[in-house]
Amino acid sequence: MQSLPKKYNFSEIERKWQKIWKELGIYHFDWNDVTRPTFTINTPPPYPSGEFHMGNILNWVYFDIVARYKRMRGFNVLFPQGWDCHGLSVEIQVEKEQKIRKRDVAPDQFRRWCEQLIERYIALMKDSILKLGCSIDWATEYLTMDPDYWRRTQLSFILLHKKGFMYQGTHPVNWCPRCETAIADAEVDYEKRQGTLNYIRFPLEGTSEYLIIATSRPEFIPACVAVEVNPNDERFNKYIGKNIVVPIVNRTVKIIAEEAVDPTFGTGVVMICTYGDKEDVKTVMKHKLPVIRLLTENGRINENGGKYSGLTINQARRAIAEDLESKRLLEKVEKLSQEVGVCDRCKTHVEILEHKQWFMKTRALTNEVEKTANEVMWYPDYMKTRLIDWANSLDWDWVISRQRVFGTPIPVWYCKSCGELILAEEAWVPIDPKLENPRIDKCPKCSSREFVPERDVFDTWMDSSITCAVHAGWPDRENWKRLFPADMHPSGIDIIRTWAYYLMVRHLALFGETPYKSCLINGMVLGSDGRKMSKSLKNYVAAPEVINKYGSDATRQWAAGGGATGSDIPFRWPDVEYGRRFLVKLWNVSKFAIKLLEDYEPSEKVEFEFQPLDRWVLSKAEKVTKKVTEAMEKCQFNVAVEEIRNFTWHIFCDYYIEAVKDKLYNPETYGQAKKLAAQHTLYVVLYRVLQLIAPMTPHLTEEIYQVMYAENKGFKSLQISSWPLINPELENETAEKNGDLIMAIISGVRQDKAENKLPLNAPVKTLHIYSGSTEAADVINSVKEDIAGTLKIANVRIHPKKRSEGKQVSSYDVFFQVEY
Ligand SMILES: [Zn+2]
Ligand SMILES: [Zn+2]
């Protein structure tokens, strides 16, 4: 056996093994292997933001543990990695860096800047993933901004178009006036903001009476198309069907009956504008009201706003409020605290705008989504309701087009003369319709030869919502269905409503099948103050800082052991420090074991004379293996880590090794056979510990494995060794019961020494043991030498118990007295 260096230098060890693993290629998925079962992980392709944060660490550690565990269980594991490039935040970042707006420069130039930024960011994030030691198959790496990936996104669109899932429509959509693009419901965040509630007089036509309407958005008055009241509201139902004058613009609109109006909210009279909020959209559709578009795409008042045209929304709000005031139409103004929808990328107030967009018919799939989500295995189980509730809460279909530059082009043209839609053929993709004409001579409808390209691009979720099929090799590999659905879809709790949902609807629509068999959810990382970790809260810790300080293995233990799967996990430095201390313990015990095993030749053939303590620790090792295996199967990583750390630290190191080391140092007293049995036990139990914790702390365990076991076990890496099978023959309840009694005696005497302020290795003249049963006395008698050796006792005397003498051993009917 070789030896370990004196000091545990984590950064050296981690870098070394990361390099060797790469050279050995042990994380490559073997596409040609048809014998081993496969296991596929739908690794999230992250938005390259340049920063791999503690939340990412939690995420990646979870599924890296699964990948490593499954490999040890004999699976051919597909653990791919891609990058989801077309995020809106990249465009915003480029605009900031270049001090321009995307419309100011040629689209090509803007795209190039985005690509350059993405490449820089990917390099930074990849470095962190590598340092974390994730067992990714880098041969699978892909970028969604590469035309080869567009090909897949575009193909999926063409197929879904042919199946009738894609349509174009003019429909109100969420619109970010700063980013000048449509955004999906899932991209709308809600924030509390201070506003004002304005009580405005609306004169009733042909009378001197008026109704008062309370609104937080007076700037929408020019777009008022109706006024509604509840038909059961005695105060106002007499006005239903009458005309009312919209102030400022002096138009009349009808007063309509609408049961959805809450008479107790505001004044009970509501103006309908196109569009102040989503409720307006519903009412306009239901009552078939006209639409007055008031806003431009960059959030200014258009010509329909008359004298306010050209103002921003905020300027118009102030101007209109002033004009109402001077016309004595403003009754009063109250402060209002309200929840407003904001763009999740730039935090601008989201407006609702009618715009021609592409949609995917997602609501038609809601029942299917619910049924499938119930069939998927969720870790933890209760997370499935998040997906189901979200699917059921959606009012609109998914708007998949974006008025942006950096995105996958929508492969569509329109005939210039008749407007006919020309959908790209499957064989044409990847294609950018802005750069190429459709590959046909003339319009099939009117024979015109001129075409206009679709300028919109796809929502970035259109790229990332086909990954389960793409990872499996769709559409190029003939037998891609072998790897589909993915065995595991890992997801942060915050993107269940986006990624888990979009994956589900896209794959259900395309292939009629669930994209994933199971879903592993991780919670958010909290700062040390218990709030969600964020730079603005000053509780932020950067991942490279943690890895550089304590190493990957310690950081991984924090992630695995920090809390129950799916729950939010606090980041605390002492937890990482505890992880490091465990590694130092494992390192030291291995070094010590190497010394104790100097003359040991590993062999399975020998019949060993196992002693009660050997049987005790072997049985405990089986038990912990069973518990850890069960926890790993259920993705309860914190349970697994705790079980292994407790077993290693307390049962194996503090008791077993302490109790047998005298036997190994001084075999004359005990006999060679007993020594050999103890050596063998030490050798196999330490190997078991290394294997069980290898998925969590791959680097250190590999280092120890290579020094102590590789030659005998023959695996190139501990990572591809076989996960231990439970050996029921080694499970031994009696051995455990007897061992526990002996350990309780040892612990009692140690405590006695401590109470007498003596060091643990202080010699003892005689230890008197008084046993209440002959059975216990026999057990103690059989390991007298071990007890004596461990505690430096010259004489161990066992007596039958007559009366209560000395101190009780834990709760056993056994007492002891120490004579120093
Ligand atoms: Zn925005
Ligand atoms: Zn035509």
Side-chain angles (χ1 to χ4, degrees):
M1 223 173 271
Q2 309 156 34
S3 62
L4 286 166
K6 198 160 188 271
K7 210 172 159 281
Y8 164 47
N9 183 335
F10 64 79
S11 55
E12 211 173 88
I13 290 175
E14 291 178 359
R15 248 174 298 151
K16 176 172 94 184
W17 288 109
Q18 284 160 14
K19 192 167 158 271
I20 296 176
W21 287 329
K22 193 179 160 200
E23 287 162 6
L24 290 175
I26 53 173
Y27 303 137
H28 283 315
F29 177 75
D30 187 346
W31 293 92
N32 300 319
D33 179 350
V34 286
T35 50
R36 276 183 301 163
T38 58
F39 191 88
T40 59
I41 295 173
N42 184 42
T43 320
Y47 282 139
S49 64
E51 195 153 19
F52 202 71
H53 51 75
M54 293 311 288
N56 295 132
I57 295 242
L58 183 63
N59 209 198
W60 262 254
V61 166
Y62 272 18
F63 48 80
D64 186 51
I65 290 175
V66 174
R68 291 177 180 280
Y69 169 69
K70 292 289 177 184
R71 245 177 242 117
M72 290 175 78
R73 299 238 43 166
F75 288 87
N76 185 12
V77 174
L78 175 62
F79 186 1
Q81 186 65 65
W83 303 94
D84 186 13
C85 307
H86 291 135
L88 178 53
S89 51
V90 176
E91 287 194 356
I92 296 174
Q93 196 56 37
V94 166
E95 289 181 327
K96 265 192 208 155
E97 275 191 9
Q98 304 291 341
K99 298 193 177 63
I100 47 117
R101 296 300 295 267
K102 62 187 168 195
R103 311 257 183 253
D104 302 343
V105 293
D108 289 8
Q109 174 65 63
F110 191 76
R111 225 196 123 82
R112 259 199 312 281
W113 279 332
C114 289
E115 285 168 359
Q116 285 161 4
L117 183 72
I118 288 283
E119 271 158 21
R120 244 162 55 212
Y121 280 169
I122 287 178
L124 289 168
M125 292 178 82
K126 193 168 167 178
D127 185 58
S128 288
I129 295 179
L130 289 169
K131 280 195 176 133
L132 192 59
C134 293
S135 58
I136 287 161
D137 179 357
W138 288 103
T140 61
E141 190 176 9
Y142 61 90
L143 279 68
T144 61
M145 68 183 183
D146 287 343
D148 189 54
Y149 196 94
W150 294 3
R151 178 171 63 93
R152 300 159 209 261
T153 306
Q154 291 182 329
L155 178 63
S156 72
F157 170 80
I158 295 167
L159 294 175
L160 288 178
H161 195 284
K162 289 182 174 168
K163 285 183 156 206
F165 277 101
M166 297 300 180
Y167 67 93
Q168 251 181 321
T170 300
H171 184 283
V173 290
N174 299 307
W175 187 271
C176 174
R178 200 225 70 99
C179 302
E180 292 183 48
T181 180
I183 59 176
D185 278 350
E187 292 165 304
V188 179
D189 277 349
Y190 288 88
E191 280 187 359
K192 272 222 155 40
R193 295 217 172 148
Q194 275 303 322
T196 53
L197 196 59
N198 303 271
Y199 290 77
I200 301 164
R201 292 178 184 175
F202 277 54
L204 285 155
E205 192 185 40
T207 72
S208 56
E209 285 177 82
Y210 55 83
L211 297 182
I212 296 176
I213 290 176
T215 175
S216 60
R217 306 210 67 185
E219 65 273 24
F220 272 96
I221 285 178
C224 176
V225 291
V227 164
E228 57 178 11
V229 298
N230 190 305
N232 301 317
D233 191 336
E234 302 278 313
R235 296 172 297 173
F236 305 119
N237 53 12
K238 55 181 175 278
Y239 301 117
I240 290 168
K242 297 215 157 65
N243 283 339
I244 192 163
V245 181
V246 180
I248 299 289
V249 289
N250 290 317
R251 277 187 294 110
T252 60
V253 296
K254 277 256 172 322
I255 299 174
I256 59 171
E258 173 52 59
E259 299 201 329
V261 174
D262 176 3
T264 64
F265 184 78
T267 60
V269 188
V270 177
M271 68 169 184
I272 302 301
C273 306
T274 49
Y275 292 98
D277 57 27
K278 272 192 165 181
E279 283 309 307
D280 287 343
V281 178
K282 280 188 198 157
T283 313
V284 167
M285 286 182 177
K286 182 171 165 189
H287 296 272
K288 301 200 169 50
L289 297 169
V291 174
I292 300 173
R293 183 167 164 173
L294 186 66
L295 298 181
T296 63
E297 293 182 358
N298 61 0
R300 290 185 182 260
I301 306 294
N302 68 14
E303 64 285 357
N304 290 327
K307 67 181 267 210
Y308 308 103
S309 145
L311 298 184
T312 65
I313 295 164
N314 287 335
Q315 286 166 344
R317 182 180 309 147
R318 279 193 297 275
I320 290 181
E322 276 166 27
D323 288 349
L324 288 166
E325 173 91 69
S326 68
K327 292 191 163 77
R328 297 178 189 284
L329 292 170
L330 194 60
E331 281 266 323
K332 61 173 176 176
V333 176
E334 283 175 356
K335 279 216 157 53
L336 176 73
S337 146
Q338 55 183 348
E339 285 245 301
V340 300
V342 298
C343 169
D344 73 347
R345 295 293 155 195
C346 75
K347 304 301 169 198
T348 302
H349 193 318
V350 169
E351 298 295 343
I352 295 170
L353 226 60
E354 272 206 325
H355 200 284
K356 195 169 187 192
Q357 300 285 359
W358 281 98
F359 294 87
M360 175 172 167
K361 272 186 201 161
T362 45
R363 282 179 311 163
L365 290 163
T366 300
N367 288 338
E368 194 80 359
V369 168
E370 179 160 359
K371 185 175 150 269
T372 313
N374 276 312
E375 287 161 6
V376 167
M377 186 77 191
W378 292 77
Y379 305 104
D381 183 61
Y382 63 87
M383 287 294 174
K384 70 172 157 223
T385 54
R386 292 208 172 220
L387 181 69
I388 294 168
D389 289 352
W390 173 253
N392 282 308
S393 77
L394 291 170
D395 296 322
W396 300 342
D397 277 338
W398 176 14
V399 44
I400 57 165
S401 48
R402 294 292 183 273
Q403 292 62 50
R404 292 175 35 204
V405 177
F406 188 51
T408 302
I410 300 178
V412 157
W413 300 259
Y414 307 93
C415 168
K416 200 170 177 183
S417 68
C418 78
E420 175 76 354
L421 180 125
I422 318 283
L423 179 68
E425 300 269 331
E426 289 162 38
W428 299 356
V429 295
I431 195 163
D432 185 347
K434 294 189 284 300
L435 305 178
E436 263 188 78
N437 265 330
R439 294 171 199 167
I440 50 172
D441 294 340
K442 49 188 201 281
C443 167
K445 201 166 160 196
C446 76
S447 300
S448 158
R449 290 173 189 276
E450 281 189 280
F451 305 98
V452 186
E454 172 61 86
R455 300 205 156 268
D456 287 357
V457 296
F458 284 124
D459 175 9
T460 182
W461 291 106
M462 277 290 282
D463 297 338
S464 61
S465 57
I466 50 171
T467 53
C468 294
V470 170
H471 292 158
W474 177 84
D476 307 321
R477 285 184 192 271
E478 217 176 300
N479 58 347
W480 67 276
K481 279 272 180 137
R482 174 169 84 107
L483 300 169
F484 182 87
D487 292 282
M488 175 164 283
H489 167 63
S491 169
I493 190 169
D494 54 331
I495 56 169
I496 293 177
R497 65 179 194 169
T498 46
W499 200 33
Y501 172 74
Y502 289 142
L503 279 168
M504 188 74 102
V505 289
R506 287 296 293 299
H507 289 89
L508 280 174
L510 272 168
F511 310 112
E513 248 184 285
T514 180
Y516 41 82
K517 294 179 197 159
S518 72
C519 200
L520 167 63
I521 303 297
N522 68 278
M524 298 289 103
V525 175
L526 308 176
S528 50
D529 56 358
R531 292 190 289 175
K532 190 181 164 184
M533 193 180 265
S534 118
K535 279 186 179 154
S536 58
L537 292 173
K538 299 209 173 4
N539 61 1
Y540 186 84
V541 181
E545 191 188 340
V546 182
I547 297 180
N548 290 339
K549 192 164 177 196
Y550 286 109
S552 160
D553 281 350
T555 309
R556 294 170 63 102
Q557 273 183 84
W558 158 78
T565 302
S567 65
D568 289 347
I569 299 205
F571 177 80
R572 285 183 295 243
W573 285 105
D575 292 352
V576 191
E577 167 63 33
Y578 182 74
R580 197 188 65 91
R581 272 172 41 218
F582 174 75
L583 296 166
V584 171
K585 181 81 187 172
L586 196 54
W587 176 264
N588 288 337
V589 78
S590 303
K591 279 178 56 174
F592 188 48
I594 290 173
K595 217 157 80 189
L596 297 174
L597 295 171
E598 238 165 28
D599 57 346
Y600 168 75
E601 273 303 323
S603 166
E604 304 295 326
K605 295 188 192 88
V606 184
E607 283 285 319
F608 296 101
E609 279 184 35
F610 291 122
Q611 298 303 298
L613 289 183
D614 304 329
R615 289 203 196 91
W616 171 75
V617 79
L618 286 168
S619 180
K620 294 261 185 197
E622 287 307 307
K623 210 165 250 177
V624 78
T625 304
K626 210 189 238 174
K627 282 184 186 162
V628 170
T629 306
E630 271 168 22
M632 293 295 258
E633 288 293 329
K634 292 184 199 152
C635 295
Q636 294 170 341
F637 313 118
N638 60 322
V639 175
V641 171
E642 271 323 293
E643 286 290 343
I644 305 163
R645 290 202 291 213
N646 277 334
F647 173 81
T648 310
W649 210 304
H650 303 301
I651 294 177
F652 186 51
C653 296
D654 285 357
Y655 283 108
Y656 181 72
I657 295 183
E658 284 300 312
V660 298
K661 73 180 185 202
D662 186 66
K663 189 183 314 188
L664 300 177
Y665 279 142
N666 309 301
E668 331 57 76
T669 331
Y670 304 81
Q672 279 299 332
K674 287 185 182 174
K675 174 187 165 182
L676 187 60
Q679 279 183 318
H680 182 74
T681 306
L682 177 60
Y683 186 75
V684 300
V685 174
L686 180 57
Y687 183 57
R688 181 64 57 88
V689 167
L690 295 178
Q691 281 204 297
L692 293 182
I693 198 137
M696 287 79 162
T697 62
H699 305 88
L700 178 65
T701 48
E702 183 79 278
E703 175 79 12
I704 299 170
Y705 166 81
Q706 295 291 344
V707 167
M708 295 183 68
Y709 296 94
E711 198 186 325
N712 172 241
K713 302 283 177 190
F715 301 105
K716 275 192 288 186
S717 160
L718 182 62
Q719 290 299 322
I720 48 170
S721 67
S722 323
W723 186 258
L725 293 172
I726 319 274
N727 180 355
E729 272 174 38
L730 289 174
E731 270 186 85
N732 187 330
E733 287 304 321
T734 321
E736 285 198 40
K737 226 176 73 198
N738 295 344
D740 287 344
L741 165 64
I742 296 156
M743 293 307 156
I745 294 173
I746 292 174
S747 146
V749 177
R750 279 183 184 163
Q751 216 177 331
D752 193 273
K753 286 185 178 178
E755 281 164 17
N756 286 295
K757 303 213 162 35
L758 291 165
L760 278 181
N761 59 0
V764 173
K765 209 194 289 166
T766 311
L767 172 68
H768 297 280
I769 294 173
Y770 307 94
S771 174
S773 73
T774 49
E775 212 187 331
D778 289 346
V779 171
I780 300 163
N781 194 40
S782 71
V783 289
K784 246 163 70 174
E785 295 120 318
D786 292 289
I787 297 174
T790 310
L791 299 163
K792 304 268 173 283
I793 305 167
N795 266 307
V796 177
R797 296 247 168 89
I798 304 163
H799 319 275
K801 191 189 85 175
K802 293 196 187 82
R803 52 183 195 281
S804 288
E805 280 160 299
K807 289 181 178 166
Q808 188 174 7
V809 175
S810 183
S811 56
Y812 294 94
D813 189 18
V814 176
F815 293 77
F816 72 95
Q817 261 176 341
V818 190
E819 247 180 69
Y820 295 100

